[in-house]
Amino acid sequence: MPETVRMTTLVEQALALVGDRNDLRRRLDNTLGRLGDPSVRVIVVGEFKQGKSQLINALVNAPVCPVDDDIATTVPTVVRQGEPASAVVLLPGRDAGTEADDAGAEARLERQDVRLEELADYVSEKGNPGNAKNIVAAEVALPRKLLAGGLTIVDSPGVGGLGSSHTLTTLTALPSAHAMVFVSDASQEYTEPEIRFLRQAMRVSPNVLCVLSKTDLYPAWRHIEALDRKHLADVAEDIPLFPVSSELRLQAARLQDAELNEESGFPALIAYLRHDIVGAVARIQRRSVSHDLQSVTEHLRLALQSELGPLENPEGTPQLIAGLEAAKSDADALRKRSARWQITLNDGISDLIADMEYDLRDRLRRIQREAETAIDQGDPGPAWEQFSTWLEQSTAAAVSDTFVWTSERAQWLAAQVAEHFSEDEVELPALQVSDTGGVLDPVGDLQHLDDGRLGPLQKVLIGMRGSYGGVLMFGLLTGIFGMALINPLSVGAGLMLGRKAYREEKAARLKQRQSEAKILVRKQVDDVIFQVGKQLKDRLRLVQRATRDHFTDIAEEHHRSLTESVAAAQRAAATYAAERDLRIKELRNQLRAVDALSKAALQLQDGAAAQDSPRSSAVPQRSTVPAE
């Protein structure tokens, strides 16, 4: 990619100019690392059997993802540019448990080559039920023009209900993705779980586009499209929706029929992916590289000008050194633990932990109250399985909402800390608190509850136990009149009392089941609060350390630049006249190189047409939508 090569060249030129400035070299090395991975990740998500895999097959015009009525994707499949066409599956390393803690997860994965036509045996429920083969992911490489620009498409497993705990796994992948394609077929309008998922996804990754699939199967798809657009307008403005038919697209590719391809709806979708997703990521990358280069050149220019000034104007040296010393003192204050930004960070994290605990408890207690109300209204025993599913879905949604809101608050806090620095724009640390992978793993399933069904023998025994007293009492009473112990009157009384005893026993068992169900719900909610609260606190402590280290590095850069500038000015003041002219010439040459690099960085920024949205200073508000 010529643009990437150009930016890489500029960063390498900057590396040649930084000399022994290891702090600036570290920043530029990170920039080179970002340039070395030009991929643009687009994750395709949706419910089961919505046409996600067939959509990807139609996009790349190849059967890379298994598709059938009885096949469901169970393993993420990554499709990227590569030649020749090939496929690999990623397996956990055999010695993963003995690796060092700082080793990357990808370094511990084993890559196993598989035939492309056999991929379904590894990534589908039919060939790999319950992921029994322990596949982490699959990767497919294809020589396709659509993928040549760095586009990488990820086919996510069907989640079997977007309200379930599997939603957390999908949301986990969103922070690392550049965009999300949400797929729903034309059989019906968006459901409430789909709308809830879209709202959460928009807060994690604002680049969301929706696809209405299978338009060839449902004649009323235009009506569904209109309803879906109304729902999307309620979620956020300008969410694009593309009605498509994967079957028409594949048929058009086989027949080389341009008109049929246009009718499939895919040209508009592909154009959006190329220009609005891949193009936007390229523009953001140009701005990021430009910002890093301009920051580095400013630090270099300060040191060079601080030395050049006294050489060209010896009379102004004392004032220059005094100004630099004052700026150095300010920069030194930023490095201390008592600096205002450190206080803002520590206080903000403490407030955030307290708010997070309240938010999580508040959401789960509302679910608990709703669950107890439902239990009081009927018998929880026969419907316990459905009730457990609802509780799991509601709990997962509440936890996801809390993590997303906490992530927004963490980003807001980082922006507040950045305001203490004098630069017009300070790069914010990459924080991913919304990553919810494995959050609910330590939480056990809701315990089993007796369904309360009585067998015929149990019913007879309960009736006999209640009727025994009635038969005996009335039999003895009628015996006074010379009647036998067992007579029609005593039997009738026994039947009445037996029926009464059965009803009382049934009511008592119902009350006992309701009480047991409430206890199980409370234990489950307490377990979720304990486990998730601990993990979220740990996550926020990591956020605190990452933010502290990030801004400490920035303060160190400022302090190092000003310290070297003071030293350079002092050296210049002591330089002899014979050496002064030669040094001035060297410094001017270096300044010209720095200025040329800064000008090239500005041109990169000017070339990015898209502008970042203004940073909001408002505190993110937590969502209070009750769990469905």
Side-chain angles (χ1 to χ4, degrees):
M1 297 172 61
E3 187 69 24
T4 303
V5 172
R6 178 191 173 201
M7 290 188 289
T8 302
T9 301
L10 291 176
V11 174
E12 291 173 347
Q13 292 175 1
L15 282 169
L17 293 174
V18 296
D20 60 350
R21 288 292 302 272
N22 293 330
D23 52 340
L24 300 182
R25 184 176 298 277
R26 186 165 55 248
R27 172 185 283 202
L28 293 174
D29 286 339
N30 292 335
T31 306
L32 271 182
R34 294 199 306 272
L35 288 173
D37 181 19
S39 63
V40 179
R41 286 172 54 87
V42 175
I43 183 171
V44 182
V45 303
E47 299 263 16
F48 270 130
K49 299 302 177 184
Q50 297 296 306
K52 301 186 303 297
S53 299
Q54 188 75 319
L55 174 74
I56 296 176
N57 293 343
L59 278 172
V60 300
N61 191 24
V64 293
C65 300
V67 176
D68 206 342
D69 292 338
D70 60 345
I71 289 181
T73 305
T74 58
V75 175
T77 305
V78 181
V79 184
R80 56 166 53 99
Q81 170 70 14
E83 194 170 359
S86 60
V88 298
V89 293
L90 304 181
L91 300 166
R94 295 176 182 174
D95 56 345
T98 61
E99 294 288 340
D101 291 338
D102 58 349
E106 292 187 2
R108 297 193 297 266
L109 295 178
E110 293 183 359
R111 301 174 66 87
Q112 176 181 330
D113 293 331
V114 298
R115 297 177 60 185
L116 197 57
E117 55 270 20
E118 297 176 355
L119 188 62
D121 296 336
Y122 296 88
V123 303
S124 68
E125 182 66 28
K126 184 177 180 180
N128 182 19
N131 195 15
K133 298 178 181 178
N134 200 21
I135 307 294
V136 177
E139 293 184 359
V140 177
L142 288 176
R144 291 293 185 270
K145 184 178 180 181
L146 174 64
L147 307 175
L151 180 63
T152 300
I153 306 174
V154 182
D155 182 19
S156 65
V159 296
L162 288 171
S164 69
S165 60
H166 299 288
T167 305
L168 299 177
T169 304
T170 304
L171 287 172
T172 296
L174 290 184
S176 63
H178 296 92
M180 181 192 82
V181 177
F182 185 77
V183 182
S184 180
D185 66 29
S187 62
Q188 63 177 359
E189 61 184 297
Y190 288 136
T191 61
E192 178 59 31
E194 288 177 323
I195 294 298
R196 169 180 286 276
F197 178 81
L198 275 173
R199 293 184 188 276
Q200 292 176 334
M202 286 292 296
R203 296 166 65 185
V204 178
S205 174
N207 292 325
V208 173
L209 62 145
C210 297
V211 168
L212 185 67
S213 62
K214 303 182 182 179
T215 57
D216 56 305
L217 297 181
Y218 302 99
W221 66 266
R222 289 181 176 83
H223 175 64
I224 301 298
E225 177 191 6
L227 294 175
D228 285 350
R229 290 191 186 278
K230 290 180 181 178
H231 290 308
L232 292 176
D234 294 335
V235 175
E237 296 181 358
D238 301 327
I239 299 180
L241 175 64
F242 297 94
V244 301
S245 169
S246 300
E247 291 296 334
L248 289 182
R249 161 80 170 178
L250 294 171
Q251 185 71 8
R254 285 192 293 267
L255 301 177
Q256 295 296 306
D257 190 332
E259 185 177 350
L260 190 61
N261 183 51
E262 189 70 29
E263 186 179 347
S264 71
F266 272 81
L269 174 60
I270 292 173
Y272 187 90
L273 289 173
R274 281 177 173 168
H275 301 125
D276 292 72
I277 301 300
V278 178
V281 170
R283 291 189 291 269
I284 292 173
Q285 187 180 59
R286 283 200 295 271
R287 279 195 296 273
S288 177
V289 173
S290 172
H291 176 268
D292 289 344
L293 289 175
Q294 289 183 67
S295 177
V296 169
T297 54
E298 284 299 320
H299 285 290
L300 295 175
R301 185 183 291 108
L302 177 62
L304 293 173
Q305 289 178 342
S306 299
E307 184 177 359
L308 182 60
L311 290 174
E312 295 181 331
N313 183 22
E315 294 80 8
T317 300
Q319 294 85 353
L320 175 63
I321 293 178
L324 290 172
E325 288 284 4
K328 178 175 173 291
S329 299
D330 293 338
D332 192 48
L334 283 175
R335 302 167 61 212
K336 296 180 180 178
R337 292 186 177 181
S338 59
R340 289 179 59 195
W341 72 267
Q342 294 260 26
I343 297 174
T344 299
L345 175 61
N346 294 333
D347 291 347
I349 287 293
S350 298
D351 293 343
L352 184 52
I353 290 177
D355 292 343
M356 173 274 301
E357 285 184 326
Y358 170 79
D359 180 76
L360 181 63
R361 289 180 178 273
D362 180 57
R363 294 181 191 275
L364 292 177
R365 281 182 176 178
R366 282 191 285 112
I367 293 173
Q368 179 180 325
R369 288 194 294 268
E370 189 175 349
E372 291 179 349
T373 301
I375 290 171
D376 287 335
Q377 291 175 350
D379 187 352
W384 189 247
E385 184 177 349
Q386 293 85 346
F387 180 85
S388 301
T389 301
W390 170 84
L391 185 63
E392 177 192 359
Q393 294 175 351
S394 301
T395 302
V399 170
S400 179
D401 282 336
T402 297
F403 269 74
V404 171
W405 176 67
T406 306
S407 177
E408 293 173 341
R409 280 286 304 272
Q411 294 288 353
W412 174 83
L413 177 60
Q416 296 301 303
V417 174
E419 291 181 358
H420 289 286
F421 289 79
S422 58
E423 285 188 320
D424 294 335
E425 181 181 358
V426 175
E427 183 181 0
L428 298 181
L431 306 176
Q432 293 186 1
V433 186
S434 56
D435 180 355
T436 50
V439 167
L440 291 177
D441 287 352
V443 180
D445 295 333
L446 189 63
Q447 296 181 23
H448 176 71
L449 180 71
D450 184 20
D451 60 8
R453 293 195 179 103
L454 296 176
L457 181 60
Q458 287 179 297
K459 293 179 181 179
V460 171
L461 291 176
I462 293 172
M464 290 180 63
R465 187 169 63 244
S467 63
Y468 173 76
V471 171
L472 182 61
M473 181 176 62
F474 277 87
L476 292 174
L477 183 63
T478 56
I480 299 175
F481 302 99
M483 299 178 70
L485 182 65
I486 306 298
N487 60 73
L489 289 177
S490 64
V491 171
L495 290 175
M496 291 178 60
L497 291 177
R499 184 178 181 184
K500 182 176 181 294
Y502 173 74
R503 289 179 175 177
E504 290 177 349
E505 179 72 15
K506 187 176 180 181
R509 286 175 177 250
L510 174 60
K511 289 293 184 183
Q512 182 181 0
R513 282 195 301 276
Q514 289 175 334
S515 177
E516 291 177 356
K518 290 180 181 179
I519 292 174
L520 292 179
V521 169
R522 290 168 190 163
K523 288 176 60 178
Q524 185 75 4
V525 170
D526 288 343
D527 195 18
V528 172
I529 291 175
F530 175 75
Q531 297 289 352
V532 176
K534 174 65 168 62
Q535 293 189 52
L536 198 46
K537 283 182 183 178
D538 293 343
R539 197 78 55 85
L540 288 176
R541 294 301 182 192
L542 292 176
V543 166
Q544 182 180 19
R545 297 187 188 101
T547 307
R548 179 196 62 203
D549 295 344
H550 176 81
F551 288 106
T552 298
D553 288 343
I554 293 177
E556 289 285 354
E557 284 184 4
H558 292 174
H559 184 267
R560 175 77 180 272
S561 295
L562 290 166
T563 300
E564 293 201 354
S565 298
V566 172
Q570 292 172 342
R571 286 196 306 270
T575 302
Y576 293 104
E579 303 173 359
R580 185 170 299 164
D581 293 340
L582 181 61
R583 184 57 182 163
I584 288 175
K585 184 176 180 181
E586 292 177 354
L587 291 174
R588 285 178 175 171
N589 289 335
Q590 293 179 22
L591 266 177
R592 278 194 290 269
V594 170
D595 289 340
L597 184 60
S598 178
K599 184 178 179 181
L602 283 173
Q603 290 175 349
L604 277 180
Q605 187 171 12
D606 294 339
Q611 300 295 324
D612 289 328
S613 58
R615 186 182 300 163
S616 172
S617 60
V619 182
Q621 301 297 313
R622 72 188 186 99
S623 170
T624 56
V625 178
E628 295 293 336

